[in-house]
Amino acid sequence: MTMAEEYISTRGLAVARGGSGERLVVLLHGLGANRMVWSRMIEIADKHWDGRWMAPDLRGHGHSVMQGPYGYATQAADIAELIADEKPGSVTLVGHSMGGVVAALVGTGWYGLQVAEVAAFGVKLVWTSEEEVKARDLAERPARVFATRAEAIDRFLKVSGLIGLVDPSSETASYGITGSEGQWQIAMDPRCFGCVGPSIPKLLKLS
């Protein structure tokens, strides 16, 4: 990420931001990932976006607060307050997977924020009962500890969907883990998996 300022928001989110102007685009990552997945897009934004950009780590991910609840409603409230603090003009939300759900919820206006555009992609709309059971099982397990840094990075890349797309030696890969020799972990609270399950179309119809 170039030309970025990094800080912790009032709700405990680790945020990178850059650019200038009234327009604001907010980039929201998916479950198991973090803001670094947007690195290549941010390089483009720094050169071609006529406005500001923000890329937070969602609650329970990366360097953000590891404290629940981790449901979609809490995540959306975090992002709405984060944006409101910026006092933006026009707001565009771009979200991948879980980030897409959060973007859509913020875009409903439930949180008192007016959003000009929402782009969501890779969103899982409906979960099967088997997938819900598996997610709840992952959410109830303690965070896995790895003996080596390489093992932790490999697991992070698999969980985040970045395996084969990101160099294990890159800054993006390193950002996804935490710990020290013999005590490496993914920089994610496994309880975040507990957010899955609700039918997204039904949820959004409530608006």
Side-chain angles (χ1 to χ4, degrees):
M1 295 182 184
T2 61
M3 300 170 61
E5 174 189 354
E6 300 182 15
Y7 69 102
I8 300 296
S9 76
T10 55
R11 291 177 70 101
L13 302 188
V15 185
R17 64 181 173 185
S20 61
E22 292 298 314
R23 301 168 68 195
L24 174 67
V25 61
V26 183
L27 306 171
L28 304 175
H29 64 78
L31 182 64
N34 57 58
R35 61 183 171 84
M36 291 294 287
V37 300
W38 301 107
S39 296
R40 294 180 184 178
M41 181 175 288
I42 287 171
E43 290 177 3
I44 296 173
D46 280 333
K47 296 177 181 178
H48 303 291
W49 172 248
D50 182 22
R52 291 173 287 158
W53 59 263
M54 296 179 66
D57 288 335
L58 294 177
R59 179 179 294 263
H61 296 75
H63 293 176
S64 285
V65 61
M66 297 290 171
Q67 179 180 340
Y70 295 120
Y72 297 134
T74 302
Q75 301 282 10
D78 285 344
I79 298 304
E81 183 172 317
L82 176 67
I83 294 171
D85 287 345
E86 290 292 309
K87 299 178 176 59
S90 173
V91 178
T92 296
L93 301 177
V94 178
H96 172 247
S97 187
M98 182 180 76
V101 178
V102 175
L105 285 178
V106 175
T108 62
W110 294 349
Y111 299 89
L113 189 71
Q114 294 301 311
V115 174
E117 300 170 310
V118 174
F121 59 99
V123 176
K124 189 172 181 60
L125 299 178
V126 179
W127 295 81
T128 66
S129 57
E130 292 80 8
E131 289 170 331
E132 289 184 41
V133 169
K134 182 177 180 180
R136 285 196 295 270
D137 178 60
L138 289 171
E140 292 171 359
R141 294 181 184 179
R144 187 174 174 184
V145 177
F146 298 89
T148 68
R149 186 173 182 277
E151 289 177 295
I153 285 179
D154 182 69
R155 180 60 179 167
F156 163 67
L157 295 179
K158 289 177 180 177
V159 169
S160 63
L162 294 175
I163 192 76
L165 300 175
V166 169
D167 186 337
S169 64
S170 67
E171 181 183 1
T172 297
S174 296
Y175 190 86
I177 65 170
T178 185
S180 57
E181 197 60 38
Q183 295 290 318
W184 296 101
Q185 292 180 290
I186 295 176
M188 171 194 176
D189 188 334
R191 292 177 296 173
C192 289
F193 285 108
C195 75
V196 308
S199 167
I200 305 308
K202 289 181 180 179
L203 179 62
L204 294 179
K205 282 181 180 179
L206 295 176
S207 64

